[in-house]
């Protein structure tokens, strides 16, 4: 990752173009203002609350801030609010990478139109089809890079979806998907864009009812599973979004053993503190990957180090 990104260069990028590259398009336009359904918070998708002024390079979410406390600002503040799990430097690089992505991977930007009443009540994405992992080269390489391809079977699927609110663009996109407790699909694509098809929720993987392990993301859960290979396997709960913390708390209140593996950043530590206050038997286990943001970061670093050592050792004679 580059250690230096010119912030002034990033601020020259139209915010609407940045959002379009992430798959977000305005619900309506009024003068020089573009109105979006907030992609930073859980909303009913009935009233667009996030406003963008491309000419001034500014945005504001009138519905309030998400867990980061950021409610508006420049493209940099938008990136910090969109990727709360990343550091400042990582966010700058993420914005740069997003705006440098190949044209074929960018959802096309279309002229703004007013959504119908039926569309306003629905969700942005709809499922086209699913298939087992290992068939899509890009997604397979993505899972390999995350170090979890060998434990992904039975947990993850390749999903293909489209933007149901954009009738002019028939493009089908693909991502890695998994189910939440509402029966809907959570997903992440190879570029790091995360969303859901239908309402978001926590994901619960049944196991030992007396022992629960909690993670912010599904990749961290699979990383923990690969490293530990527990027997018996505890019940695992993945937040999918830290706004789902309250739902997770309700699921683990009566469980005797609760291990928490949230991210080593301010939002993660805040969630851990809130959970332990509500569930006194819960234990913070983030020290296992001290020095890393999350479990998957530690796993990937260990895999890379192993490969380097293997290369240095050279072939056996």
């Amino acid at each position: 990752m580059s250690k230096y990104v010119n912030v002034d260069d990033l601020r020259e990028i139209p915010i609407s173009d940045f959002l379009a590259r992430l798959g977000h398009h305005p619900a309506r336009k009024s003068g020089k203002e573009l109105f979006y359904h907030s992609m930073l918070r859980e909303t009913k998708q009935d009233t667009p609350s996030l406003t963008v002024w491309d000419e001034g390079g500014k945005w504001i979410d009138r519905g309030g801030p998400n867990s980061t406390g950021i409610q508006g600002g420049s493209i940099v503040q938008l990136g910090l609010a969109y990727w709360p799990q990343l550091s400042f430097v990582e966010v700058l690089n993420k914005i740069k990478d997003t705006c440098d992505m190949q044209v074929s991977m960018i959802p096309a930007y279309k002229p703004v139109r007013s959504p119908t009443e039926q569309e306003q009540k629905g969700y942005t994405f709809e499922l086209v089809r699913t298939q087992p992992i290992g068939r899509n080269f890009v997604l397979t390489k993505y899972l390999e890079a995350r170090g979890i391809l060998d434990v992904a079977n039975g947990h993850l699927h390749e999903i293909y979806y489209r933007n149901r609110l954009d009738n002019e663009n028939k493009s089908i996109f693909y991502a890695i998907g998994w189910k939440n407790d509402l029966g809907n699909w959570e997903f992440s694509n190879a570029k790091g864009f995360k969303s859901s098809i239908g309402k978001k929720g926590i994901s619960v993987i049944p196991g030992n009812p007396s022992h629960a392990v909690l993670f912010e993301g599904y990749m961290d859960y699979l990383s923990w599973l690969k490293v530990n290979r527990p027997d018996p396997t505890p019940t695992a709960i993945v937040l999918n979004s830290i706004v789902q913390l309250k739902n997770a708390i309700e699921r683990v209140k009566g469980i005797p053993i609760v291990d928490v593996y949230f991210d080593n950043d301010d939002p993660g530590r805040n969630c851990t503190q809130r959970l332990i206050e509500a569930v006194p038997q819960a234990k913070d286990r983030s020290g296992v990957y001290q020095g890393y943001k999350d479990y998957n970061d530690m796993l990937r670093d260990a895999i890379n180090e192993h490969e380097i050592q293997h290369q240095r050792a050279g072939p056996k004679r």
Side-chain angles (χ1 to χ4, degrees):
M1 178 184 292
S2 171
K3 294 183 179 179
Y4 176 77
V5 175
N6 191 327
V7 176
D8 290 335
D9 288 344
L10 295 185
R11 288 177 176 147
E12 294 298 317
I13 300 169
I15 293 177
S16 64
D17 182 61
F18 171 59
L19 289 174
R21 290 165 183 261
L22 292 170
H24 304 291
H25 301 283
R28 62 184 177 88
K29 179 179 181 181
S30 178
K32 297 181 179 180
E33 298 180 341
L34 298 171
F35 296 86
Y36 294 76
H37 294 297
S38 180
M39 66 295 299
L40 306 178
R41 303 174 292 106
E42 279 293 306
T43 69
K44 296 180 179 179
Q45 300 289 292
D46 53 358
T47 303
S49 64
L50 191 142
T51 306
V52 169
W53 298 271
D54 270 338
E55 191 171 292
K58 299 295 183 181
W59 67 276
I60 187 171
D61 191 343
R62 302 183 190 280
N66 62 7
S67 61
T68 64
I70 300 172
Q71 190 172 356
S74 70
I75 192 172
V76 175
Q77 282 72 41
L78 181 57
L80 291 169
Y82 192 82
W83 292 297
Q85 75 277 15
L86 301 183
S87 69
F88 181 76
V89 173
E90 288 173 327
V91 166
L92 297 185
N93 278 278
K94 197 77 168 176
I95 295 172
K96 180 179 181 298
D97 291 345
T98 298
C99 294
D100 287 344
M101 71 171 63
Q102 296 178 5
V103 174
S104 61
M105 297 291 292
I106 302 172
Y109 183 86
K110 297 295 181 180
V112 177
R113 65 178 179 83
S114 299
T116 65
E117 183 178 350
Q118 180 179 1
E119 288 174 338
Q120 287 178 333
K121 294 178 180 179
Y123 292 90
T124 303
F125 302 115
E126 65 177 353
L127 184 68
V128 175
R129 70 179 187 277
T130 69
Q131 61 187 33
I133 59 171
R135 299 184 181 182
N136 182 300
F137 177 79
V138 173
L139 297 178
T140 299
K141 299 302 289 184
Y142 170 64
L143 293 176
E144 284 181 349
R146 300 297 292 261
I148 55 173
L149 179 62
D150 54 336
V151 292
N153 278 312
H155 292 280
L156 304 177
H157 292 77
E158 294 177 2
I159 68 166
Y160 294 79
Y161 65 96
R162 60 184 166 221
N163 186 334
R164 63 183 296 275
L165 300 187
D166 193 349
N167 292 326
E168 297 181 20
N169 181 12
K170 301 300 182 181
S171 297
I172 295 178
F173 307 100
Y174 52 82
I176 294 296
W178 59 93
K179 287 291 190 73
N180 62 31
D181 65 336
L182 301 175
N184 299 323
W185 288 97
E186 305 282 339
F187 68 81
S188 173
N189 71 13
K191 291 290 185 178
F193 170 59
K194 299 177 182 179
S195 190
S196 64
I197 298 174
K199 188 175 182 180
K200 291 189 71 65
I202 61 174
S203 294
V204 180
I205 301 90
N208 182 353
S210 298
H211 183 192
V213 289
L214 288 88
F215 303 87
E216 287 188 39
Y218 213 100
M219 306 304 173
D220 293 320
Y221 160 61
L222 291 180
S223 301
W224 170 87
L225 190 65
K226 176 173 180 173
V227 171
N228 292 275
R229 305 285 183 174
D231 185 20
T233 304
T235 295
I237 296 177
V238 179
L239 297 187
N240 293 317
S241 169
I242 59 176
V243 300
Q244 297 291 328
L245 179 64
K246 183 177 179 181
N247 292 337
I249 288 174
E250 293 302 316
R251 296 295 289 261
V252 302
K253 276 187 173 179
I255 298 178
I257 303 174
V258 180
D259 294 324
V260 186
Y261 297 91
F262 291 163
D263 290 0
N264 272 325
D265 57 16
D266 288 341
R269 286 187 282 269
N270 180 53
C271 284
T272 299
Q273 181 180 350
R274 288 167 57 194
L275 190 145
I276 291 176
E277 289 173 355
V279 185
Q281 72 271 27
K283 303 296 182 184
D284 179 10
R285 303 299 187 190
S286 61
V288 172
Y289 41 94
Q290 186 175 1
Y292 298 92
K293 183 179 73 70
D294 54 39
Y295 221 115
N296 187 247
D297 267 5
M298 180 181 69
L299 174 65
R300 283 186 290 170
D301 188 66
I303 292 173
N304 291 336
E305 181 64 26
H306 175 76
E307 291 177 350
I308 291 173
Q309 295 297 332
H310 181 73
Q311 291 170 2
R312 286 176 179 171
K316 292 183 179 179
R317 296 182 179 274

